[in-house]
Amino acid sequence: MGLFSIFQKSPENFEEAADRCFNNGDYGSAKIEYDRALARAGKKSPENIALIRRLGDKCRKAREALAGSHLETARELLMTGEHDEEAYELVSLALDLTEDETLTRNLLALRGDTHDGRDLNRELNQTADAVTGDAGGPIIEDHEDGDEDDYFFILCSILPDEIQDAYHGFSPAFREGFVALNSGDFETAADRLEDAMDENDDPDGLIPPELATALINLGRYETARQLMEPFIQHHPESIRGYQILCDIYWEQKAYDRALSLLGSCPAKLQASLQIQLLISETLYLKGDFKPAIRLLSTWLNDYGYNEIMARSLAKTLEAAGEIYAARDLYAQIIKGCASCGSRTDPFIRRRYAELCFQAGDQPKKLLDLFLSLTQEDPDNKKEYYYRIQQLYDKMGDAAESRRFLEMAEALDARGK
């Protein structure tokens, strides 16, 4: 990415955005953001196997959720008897997304195809090859010309109908820029989307957010700001517009400007999860932890448990030094994941373990937790070994304490 590569978002930044989208049922946007996160991790942190594995799992989960959503929409369209072509297009898109055999059978049945086992296995393999690489990650780069049209169509299919229609009406420059943006090639995206701004009549202002996203990833925050401030004036109900502008203001440390922006959004947006998250994150970055805690706690009390809001509150409590409250909330998040059958993010378990250690919880209780983390999160194994050494030391087991200290120091010496 040239000179601007040092300013680019981390994989975790994209992952947080994707988590918010997925939690809100916006599986299409979540898929795009998880794909971006995985691509960034593959380029910038190829040694971070745990991160890549976690993002790969989330990518697959988003694809399956999106495929299931396409199946339900296709069923509804077929029931009308007037939108068969659109329904079959959605079925084809879902087949490209899913690796689940049951879902694939349901999609094929809906399409009216008959396959023997050999044909079905071939289609399943082709589906998996289409959406995963050798390491199981999504292929989102290096599109051939023909593939680029297909990829553009898939990207547009997850957008609202009116936006789809507009995007399909734009020039080839927009199509190339939009595909490049979603493939992580931000320099090409910025060049082609700037061309698209010049070439296309865009009365609804749909191109600026795409161009601003590319510019942000290139570190060109001031140019992006000059695009997005007029945009939000004409589109005061655009959640995405607020998210992009806040991203810019945060980078520029213009926290008061961000709070003023969010405070001026329409009243019906004020209580939305997205705006409340943006306000709380702005306060967190500014270091105003107490008002952020009040905001997040009030939202959770009024609207019920939400994992994304709970995670934001937990990290804010921790930053404010309220380690017992943060520990208990991380425990609630872990319990919630266990009850719904999903795998807990190792980061959450890591923070929980660390806060339990700081709170002076019983060493025997913590030992199993840190030992399990050495397997779940091997990239941070050295830190876990040091903690395990300290726990054995507290328990008076000098031999095990010495053994884990030597293991930690060995990793330290190798730079791991």
Side-chain angles (χ1 to χ4, degrees), residues 73-329:
T73 303
R75 282 174 172 159
E76 292 172 4
L77 289 172
L78 286 172
M79 287 177 64
T80 68
E82 300 176 357
H83 301 283
D84 288 5
E85 184 176 347
E86 293 90 337
Y88 293 139
E89 286 177 355
L90 283 174
V91 170
S92 296
L93 288 172
L95 285 167
D96 285 340
L97 289 166
T98 186
E99 300 174 44
D100 181 81
E101 183 170 343
T102 300
L103 181 54
T104 298
R105 289 183 186 278
N106 290 336
L107 288 162
L108 293 174
L110 187 65
R111 197 173 67 182
D113 287 356
T114 56
H115 293 264
D116 60 24
R118 184 174 51 190
D119 289 337
L120 177 58
N121 287 334
R122 183 168 64 249
E123 179 140 10
L124 283 166
N125 291 333
Q126 289 171 346
T127 298
D129 291 343
V131 296
T132 61
D134 293 338
I139 296 173
I140 60 172
E141 298 189 28
D142 301 328
H143 303 284
E144 300 294 339
D145 289 342
D147 293 339
E148 186 176 83
D149 288 337
D150 293 339
Y151 190 51
F152 179 71
F153 184 83
I154 290 172
L155 290 171
C156 286
S157 73
I158 59 183
L159 300 172
D161 290 344
E162 63 275 12
I163 296 180
Q164 287 189 48
D165 292 341
Y167 280 16
H168 282 294
F170 289 148
S171 68
F174 176 81
R175 181 197 66 199
E176 294 163 11
F178 190 60
V179 169
L181 175 62
N182 287 280
S183 300
D185 183 357
F186 301 115
E187 289 178 343
T188 299
D191 288 342
R192 300 307 286 140
L193 290 170
E194 285 173 348
D195 291 340
M197 287 276 290
D198 295 335
E199 295 172 4
N200 292 277
D201 180 24
D202 183 22
D204 296 321
L206 297 177
I207 298 177
E210 308 297 349
L211 176 55
T213 301
L215 293 170
I216 287 171
N217 281 279
L218 292 171
R220 295 165 59 183
Y221 293 98
E222 188 59 26
T223 305
R225 182 187 66 79
Q226 293 171 10
L227 275 173
M228 290 306 299
E229 286 181 340
F231 173 86
I232 207 68
Q233 290 177 3
H234 291 94
H235 299 273
E237 296 185 1
S238 171
I239 292 290
R240 188 183 178 198
Y242 292 107
Q243 291 170 334
I244 293 173
L245 259 179
C246 281
D247 206 7
I248 296 167
Y249 291 150
W250 293 342
E251 183 63 27
Q252 297 179 331
K253 296 183 170 37
Y255 304 123
D256 289 337
R257 181 178 286 183
L259 291 171
S260 176
L261 168 74
L262 296 168
S264 67
C265 76
K268 65 180 181 180
L269 295 183
Q270 283 289 333
S272 69
L273 180 143
Q274 297 96 327
I275 295 298
Q276 293 291 294
L277 277 173
L278 290 173
I279 295 172
S280 65
E281 184 68 12
T282 304
L283 293 168
Y284 173 85
L285 293 170
K286 189 181 178 185
D288 286 348
F289 302 128
K290 288 186 177 180
I293 291 169
R294 284 197 300 271
L295 182 150
L296 290 163
S297 300
T298 299
W299 195 96
L300 286 165
N301 287 333
D302 290 346
Y303 296 96
Y305 179 79
N306 176 283
E307 183 180 335
I308 301 298
M309 297 293 275
R311 288 178 65 149
S312 294
L313 177 55
K315 78 171 185 179
T316 309
L317 287 166
E318 185 177 355
E322 299 186 27
I323 63 171
Y324 297 101
R327 178 200 61 185
D328 294 345
L329 187 50

Side-chain angles (χ1 to χ4, degrees), residues 14-15 17-36 55 57-73 90 93-94 97-98 103 138 151 154-160 182 274 306 308:
F14 285 117
E15 182 185 13
D19 287 343
R20 287 194 293 269
C21 293
F22 191 91
N23 194 62
N24 289 330
D26 186 357
Y27 304 127
S29 297
K31 173 192 174 297
I32 291 173
E33 294 300 323
Y34 284 134
D35 284 351
R36 290 177 179 173
L55 291 173
D57 288 343
K58 289 186 174 182
C59 284
R60 283 186 285 274
K61 186 177 178 181
R63 288 199 300 270
E64 295 300 338
L66 183 57
S69 176
H70 284 342
L71 172 61
E72 294 306 314
T73 303
L90 283 174
L93 288 172
L97 289 166
T98 186
L103 181 54
Y151 190 51
I154 290 172
L155 290 171
C156 286
S157 73
I158 59 183
L159 300 172
N182 287 280
Q274 297 96 327
N306 176 283
I308 301 298

